[in-house]
Amino acid sequence: RMSGGEQQMLTLARTLMGNPLAILLDEPSEGIAPIIVDQIGDMIARLKANGISIVLSEQNLPFAARIADRVYVLQQGEIKYVGPMDALLHDEKTRGAYLEL
């Protein structure tokens, strides 16, 4: 009976109960209302600021850009790009080849 956003928030809360040093998040913005995506992004940014390492698998580039320092772009299981998020955001050729429709 919970919405997708509520389920994502509950999953994050349950994960944090164990005081992890690192967390792996798989598409936390998928299928979530934009306002909830913003809240989840804020929560993840606070976790990062508090020293928790975040491994994020995400297709939503603006969401990932708020959080990620380093980027690995995968295509069909093969690494196509590795570098800092800032560099990817300014690399129109790579974004066009792998991230934009």
Side-chain angles (χ1 to χ4, degrees), residues 61 64-65 68-73 81-96 98-100:
L61 182 59
D69 298 317
R70 189 147 188 83
V71 179
Y72 293 79
V73 175
Y81 175 88
V82 176
M85 176 59 83
D86 287 341
L88 177 65
L89 294 175
H90 293 96
D91 185 343
E92 292 180 29
K93 182 178 176 185
T94 299
R95 280 197 337 270
Y98 302 114
L99 302 175
E100 298 172 358

Side-chain angles (χ1 to χ4, degrees), residues 3-75:
S3 71
E6 290 169 334
Q7 290 176 32
Q8 288 287 35
M9 296 291 244
L10 177 60
T11 298
L12 282 170
R14 290 179 65 194
T15 299
L16 295 174
M17 288 175 60
N19 290 327
L21 298 175
I23 58 174
L24 170 63
L25 299 171
D26 184 20
E27 303 269 353
S29 74
E30 184 179 12
I32 308 297
I35 187 122
I36 303 299
V37 170
D38 289 341
Q39 291 172 357
I40 290 172
D42 292 343
M43 179 189 306
I44 295 168
R46 283 193 304 271
L47 294 173
K48 179 181 167 189
N50 286 325
I52 295 177
S53 296
I54 311 288
V55 178
L56 176 67
S57 171
E58 182 62 62
Q59 292 185 35
N60 179 336
L61 182 59
F63 180 85
R66 291 180 56 197
I67 299 161
D69 298 317
R70 189 147 188 83
V71 179
Y72 293 79
V73 175
L74 301 174
Q75 183 181 51

